[in-house]
Amino acid sequence: LDEALVAVHAGSDALHDRIMAVPGAFERVERAVANLSAEGVETGIVFVLNRLNLHEAVPCLEHFRTLGATRFVFSFLRSTGRLRADAALRRGLNLTWGKALPFIQDAAQAGRGLGAKVEVLHVPPCVLGEDWRLAGDMTAENAAVPGDARESSLAHCARPKLRRCLECRYLLRCPGPCEDYLEFHGSKGVRPIA
């Protein structure tokens, strides 16, 4: 095993265990990250951003960096499974790119300061502004896609191109916004990069 990604839903045990509905889950994740790192496994954290945990993005990064995690992937909620079926839950947890952006930028800055790699998934680079290079969907994943990103969508996410995307300099590399995000929030924030 060379690399492992571990899902963490908060920077504190109380909120993580509440979101997971499993008492003691945070402590088990801490042990897993420490053990993997001690064995020389490149360990990353996947932090799915939501309204409850947004303020814990930086504390989570800082805490798990001390346990040996070197990569942090911040991801937006996807409307699948239980989240798609439960509209009240989706409304309670879901957030817009604009609301999360300051927290993502703070986490990116903290990560750089701690020598960690930070990525963001399910967000087009134009929404990230100056931090567009954090868009993990746009890099290696698209390099293996035949053709270009005008026609392509990633297997895990339908990604339509908006008319304004056709004017962007990253048209051929960016997969575009996730369809389920657009369904719930619209396309505000998506703007071409000249």
Side-chain angles (χ1 to χ4, degrees), residues 26-164:
F26 187 78
E27 187 177 305
R28 287 187 288 244
V29 169
E30 287 176 312
R31 280 196 311 269
V33 169
N35 290 339
L36 287 163
S37 298
E39 291 296 322
V41 176
E42 187 79 21
T43 307
I45 300 298
V46 177
F47 189 91
V48 180
L49 297 161
N50 65 61
R51 285 186 186 174
L52 296 177
N53 69 7
L54 196 55
H55 64 283
E56 293 200 8
V58 171
C60 177
L61 186 148
E62 292 171 342
H63 176 67
F64 282 95
R65 184 70 181 106
T66 65
L67 296 176
T70 57
R71 179 179 173 205
F72 294 85
V73 179
F74 293 95
S75 178
F76 274 78
L77 282 172
R78 300 293 319 288
S79 293
T80 59
R82 195 176 91 180
L83 199 60
R84 181 163 281 294
D86 188 338
L89 179 64
R90 186 173 56 244
R91 278 191 302 278
L93 294 178
N94 226 341
L95 68 147
T96 63
W97 291 323
K99 172 105 171 134
L101 188 57
F103 295 92
I104 291 169
Q105 291 169 328
D106 289 348
Q109 183 176 350
R112 284 190 288 270
L114 295 171
K117 180 180 180 185
V118 176
E119 298 172 61
V120 181
L121 298 181
H122 311 307
V123 181
C126 62
V127 173
L128 296 171
E130 293 177 14
D131 288 316
W132 68 268
R133 287 176 183 84
L134 298 176
D137 296 331
M138 195 172 98
T139 54
E141 208 166 335
N142 281 356
V145 176
D148 63 50
R150 285 179 292 196
E151 308 89 30
S152 303
S153 67
L154 304 175
H156 65 278
C157 179
R159 292 181 178 232
K161 288 292 182 163
L162 304 172
R163 183 177 303 274
R164 66 188 92 144

Side-chain angles (χ1 to χ4, degrees), residues 7-10 12-26 28-29 48 50 52 82 93:
V8 177
H9 298 281
S12 65
D13 58 351
L15 183 55
H16 177 84
D17 293 358
R18 179 174 150 218
I19 291 171
M20 294 300 298
V22 178
F26 187 78
R28 287 187 288 244
V29 169
V48 180
N50 65 61
L52 296 177
R82 195 176 91 180
L93 294 178

